[in-house]
Amino acid sequence: MSDVLIPARELNFLLWNWLDAEALLDRPGQESHDRETVDAVLNLSASLADRLFLPHFKDADRHEPWVDADGQVHVLPAIAEALREYASLGLPGAGFSPELGGMGLPALIVSASLAQFMAASLATAAYPMLTMGNARLLATFGNAAQIAAFARPQIEGSALGTMCLSEPQAGSGLGDVRTRATADGDDALGRRFRLTGNKMWISGGDHDITRDIVHLVLAKIPADDGALPEGTRGISLFVVPKWLPGGGERNDVSGAGLNHKMGYRGTSNCLLNLGEGRHQPMGAPGAVGWLVGEEGQGLQLMFQMMNEARINVGLGAAAAAYRGYRHALGYARERLQGRPLAKGGSDGGPVPIIEHPDVQRMLLTQKAYAEGALALVLYCAKLVDEEKADPAGAELLALLTPVAKSWPSEWGVAANDLAIQVHGGYGYTRDFDVEQLYRDNRLNPIHEGTTGIQALDLLGRKVLRGDGAGMAELGDRIIRTASRAEGHPALAEWESALLQAWDELQETIAVFRSADPVRVLANATAFLRGFGHLVVAWLWLDMAVTAIAVEADDPDLAAGKQRACRYFFECELPNALVWLSFSRSLSDVAAEVPTTIF
Ligand SMILES: Cc1cc2nc3c(=O)[nH]c(=O)nc-3n(C[C@H](O)[C@H](O)[C@H](O)COP(=O)(O)OP(=O)(O)OC[C@H]3O[C@@H](n4cnc5c(N)ncnc54)[C@H](O)[C@@H]3O)c2cc1C
């Protein structure tokens, strides 16, 4: 097994020691799973990721998807081969109920499994990641016929899915989508429509991995005078397959071109044309689609898939950061260069660079970012498992979702940047994997809502609006961690630092409540940074307490967690206080800039 994926020892600590996954397996509906079956799934995931995903990591970057003369997109055959085996093992259905053809595993376990595939090849893992979200949305909001026709094939692995939100003129501002849907009668699948428009940036929008592709498309239904409804409330959701059910007829949805990306290249990324008349399903042009849910509910329903995708973007960012760290660690143990500071450079020849304090700093930073990011996302996956039974946990999940998306993305890229630095000049070449990990990971702060949009969501919607239940739950859990740390002298310092940071966060929010909302939101990204670092500091302290319990079994792991916790509190948490204080100052330095100065 390659040592660049996430070690079983790490996942065991997170799942069984820290997050108490066993308690999830004791719940109703989990009778057929126990620790042994879950370990089998996780071992299988690690070995499949190693055997079939990791080997094509570089080839998928070198040989981008391409379009043939008929307009069909092709991807590297090794990607299709890996995903076929992934499907044959039932993994696309791991998180779905047995009634839907799945294994019924908790989201936490599914995330831990997916993380290995993401570490091996982020681009290949993107196909099942999107497919699971698509199928889950249909399983939640589709009618029985739609579930049978479109969700089941994705769960069984014979079709892949997409999310079609963005358009050339509508990215962050989805209220401006212009794809239109006109009524075309009713049939067994529900209300049928014909869609025309252009969707931009669609990951997995076309490929030859599976014959069918299930698109979930946001579009607007025009009024009688042809005008499209304004804003996000006018958006509806449609399921638009590449092939009409029954298999015979090609739908009028086609790839109009591929985007050539910096990284993440194995995932085809398409401009899709709907209703351009290239195909004539049921004898007429126009992409055939069926309404999911009610008219005007589109964005609201799509939020289920977006929230899942946001957590999974964070998971991918954490996995890429983790793998970069593993590469840097391996390299630092082997690369001989320089003499130890203490020995005055006079004896013994060059030493492994891992012995230099500055290299240790870079490794420890990566460890704190990568393991902290993975912990954050798995913590949120557990909240997904608990949300139905625990309303306060559900509020916390909503609060943390923009953090789970953006913190791993921002700091995962920073970790990959350091992995390159540890490799010196070699890291800057394509002969080593770390430059590709950096390029792959650089997408994550952009798609599924940019970091700036996550900041507005966190501060504008989650913190300042609503009844504060998510914040109250976060405060309770932080206090619980602080009291867990209380009895341990080595952790007492961090316990008080965490509580002080929490007080500063409260103070910041109190200032925001009586300030000009425009100025408040202008400082949202500094707030997100401070908030994110505080949350990860909390999780580091919580893990450090748990690590005490595993000291006897695995002293190196325990010491590693405690050192990374200390690093986070000494070197990272102080930044959170600076960012919070800056956001609280309601500075106009970058808020009301005359655009003529640029
Ligand atoms: C490789 C890739 C894969 C993708 N996959 C998919 C997919 O499968 N399906 C899909 O639907 N979309 C997909 N996207 C689209 C992605 O979600 C958008 O690129 C993203 O939401 C940003 O939209 P935009 O590119 O139009 O940038 P813009 O919205 O034009 O944003 C440009 C900049 O302005 C900032 N900005 C914009 N509005 C505001 C605001 N109100 N306040 C503050 N700052 C703002 C943004 O933060 C950003 O920094 C993908 C994109 C890429 C690059």
Side-chain angles (χ1 to χ4, degrees), residues 122 310-322 366 368-378 380 400-416 437 441-446 451 454 528 532-533 535-536 539:
L122 210 43
R310 285 176 176 179
I311 293 173
N312 280 332
V313 165
L315 185 68
Y322 208 108
Q366 287 173 71
Y369 290 167
E371 293 180 10
L374 187 60
L376 167 65
V377 181
L378 293 182
C380 288
L400 292 184
T401 298
V403 183
K405 193 278 173 184
S406 60
W407 198 91
S409 299
E410 293 285 336
W411 300 100
V413 174
N416 288 142
L437 288 167
N441 217 354
R442 186 60 187 84
L443 174 61
N444 287 323
I446 298 173
T451 299
Q454 302 302 324
L528 171 72
H533 257 48
V535 164
V536 176
L539 297 179

Side-chain angles (χ1 to χ4, degrees), residues 347-364:
D347 63 326
V351 295
I353 59 170
I354 197 168
E355 293 183 23
H356 298 307
D358 193 55
V359 174
Q360 293 181 354
R361 170 190 66 80
M362 292 191 279
L363 291 172
L364 199 52

Side-chain angles (χ1 to χ4, degrees), residues 130 161-174 199-205 216 218 259 261-264 267-270 302 305 310 443 445-454 456 521 525:
L130 287 163
T162 71
M163 59 197 301
C164 300
L165 288 63
S166 308
E167 297 183 2
Q169 79 297 340
S172 304
L174 287 172
K199 288 291 171 181
M200 181 56 166
W201 302 118
I202 304 310
S203 297
L216 283 174
L218 293 184
N259 294 307
K261 293 175 286 175
M262 172 182 178
Y264 230 107
T267 316
S268 64
N269 189 272
C270 308
M302 186 49 100
M305 183 170 182
R310 285 176 176 179
L443 174 61
I446 298 173
H447 65 165
E448 269 317 312
T450 60
T451 299
I453 296 301
Q454 302 302 324
L456 293 175
L521 291 180
T525 300

